[in-house]
Amino acid sequence: MLLLATFAATLDAAAAVASKLAKQKAVAELLRGLEDDDRRRAVRYANGRPFAATDERVTGVSSRIVGDVVRDLLRIDPAVLREASIRHGELGEAVGELWPAAAPDAEPALTMADIATAFDALAATTQPAAKKPIVRDLIGQCVTDREACYLVKILLSDLRTGVREGVLQAGVAEAFGLELKEILRTQLLAGDLGDVAVLAKHGVHGEAAFSLFHPLQFMLANPIETAADAFDEAGGEWVIEDKLDGIRAQVHKQGDRVAIYTRTLDRVDESFPDVVRVIRSVPGDFLLDGEVLPWRDGRALAFAVLQKRLGRKTVTAKQLLDHPAAFIAFDALFLNGELLLDQPLVERQKALNAFAAIHPALLVLPSRIVSDPALVEAAFEAARTAGNEGLMLKQTHSTYTPGRRGGAWLKLKSHLPTLDCVVTAAEYGHGKRRGSLSDYTFAVRDGEKLVNIGKAYSGVTDAEIAELTTLFKSIAISDNGRVFQVEPKVVMEIAFDQITESTRHASGYAMRFPRIKRIRIDKGVADADTIERVREIYESAGNLGRKVEPPPQPPVPAEPTLFDF
Ligand code: AMP
């Protein structure tokens, strides 16, 4: 039986060393010696997952529940816990610091199996009030500060040990003498790294079958500025398609069961019962990649229509009528028993089109093959005229590489680029917005850090600001009454006139006239743009007059703390 204390000691040791190889070794040593169930749990919990990646249950434990329980158990002032959380930037280490010293004869006894049992019970209850006693009972069994610290980290799926999924994958490979690529491939098929560790241990990873209902990472596209760039980079032939303005979606179907995942790998089928109904009516088992669009009478509507549907758990008949949606497929990764991932794009699309020809309820995005930049330019203009965002160019013989932005897919957007930025601080506005958090400071990724690049307050509606105000208050790390430093969770697409060099922000750049184009509910921090992309835009020909200093702006709140993501 694996004790939580042993798990904590291993991860503490891994966190204490900087080298990834040393972290990986610590993980490998732990995984080798465990029983299968503990092996699965160790991998999942270290990866910040209470359940298998193929298991859709959630525990529903919030930092508020944990905070209440800890304050109650330790009889401490809320301000003490809040202050320690701000100092550590997380609740786990704060609880560790405040945990009383263990009695000399007290032996840690809480096991990973106990935690798993509590997770099952948590998933089976919906009311926060019913979850509290379960959490209280679990935390109350901790003896040492490190147990308490790690239990809170696991409960909140926020480990911050530097043992990310990549280290765990390499650790599993090292533990059982396999190549990393064998582990990645098995995980792609089976879905859950904990299960992969068990398959690898028994040498049967090669027999892993493809299972539906675990989201695959999406294949991503690189931005290009002109059609000619594509031909400079790779020449030859490209499949071109309109770039639709909706939400990227992965549709899994088997029998009557349907799941729709977004780019953040969250399920959204509750928000789209109309889409689910159509997909369910198409016979067969499949995994398709495509876009959910606002859709009426065979035509796409404005994206704003779709925003009314997102994030809703129950959709009324009126909303379905007022804001209808449809799924348009542009790729097939699995179709009626055949895994198509490794086939060339043209073959995958051939299979998709043949399937849709028999089942016309399934909508497929038209595509064609071109080998001339002038045709791409013309298609781009036609796509824009049709109200689409731009054009996608995909290499005809590329395989589907999940999670990769490898240059096999390119995106040609409007001539003015935008940046997907992460909000790091929100601040009260002025005038009629003085009661709402309506001014946002945002950042781009710089390696593992986030660096601020600008601040904007225009482009969001009053209704969105009201929702964001509630959200930002719930994910605030600290505030001075006016400016709230927030957990970096919300991604916004920012349009601007140009990028300038600036000492105002940690990124070394600023945006001139930034405007919020859209809240990217479909993107997570890992999808945000990088400082390299900012530099690229800064140096591109389109970024004219870049020596101009940005106009005076209100003072910027302090830099965000550095976060893992
Ligand atoms: P961006 O959101 O600018 O990073 O562009 C990538 C996104 O374009 C994808 O995640 C899709 O949501 C979207 N997209 C729209 N049309 C297509 C298409 N035909 N092929 C692939 N992605 C598309």
Side-chain angles (χ1 to χ4, degrees), residues 135-164:
V135 173
R136 191 191 157 95
D137 178 54
L138 206 55
I139 300 183
Q141 292 182 58
C142 293
V143 174
T144 68
D145 57 339
R146 298 318 289 161
E147 273 181 295
C149 165
Y150 271 90
L151 180 55
V152 171
K153 283 172 183 273
I154 294 171
L155 278 165
L156 297 179
S157 297
D158 189 8
L159 275 285
R160 305 195 194 197
T161 53
V163 178
R164 290 161 202 278

Side-chain angles (χ1 to χ4, degrees), residues 342-387:
D342 302 323
Q343 299 211 9
L345 173 65
V346 282
E347 295 301 325
R348 301 199 303 273
Q349 289 196 334
K350 206 185 280 171
L352 175 63
N353 285 317
F355 184 66
I358 319 169
H359 307 295
L362 180 65
L363 303 175
V364 175
L365 182 65
S367 66
R368 63 195 168 106
I369 297 177
V370 295
S371 51
D372 175 355
L375 289 179
V376 176
E377 286 290 1
F380 174 77
E381 293 308 330
R384 298 286 299 166
T385 309

Side-chain angles (χ1 to χ4, degrees), residues 220 241-244 247-248 263 291 330 365 392 394 405 409 411 413 420 520 523:
L220 303 172
E241 298 159 358
D242 282 12
K243 184 173 190 300
L244 307 171
I247 300 165
R248 183 79 174 271
R263 270 183 71 148
E291 196 92 351
F330 49 69
L365 182 65
M392 300 293 300
K394 303 178 180 178
R405 209 185 277 280
W409 285 17
K411 57 185 178 194
K413 284 218 246 182
D420 291 329
R520 298 297 307 242
K523 290 197 172 179

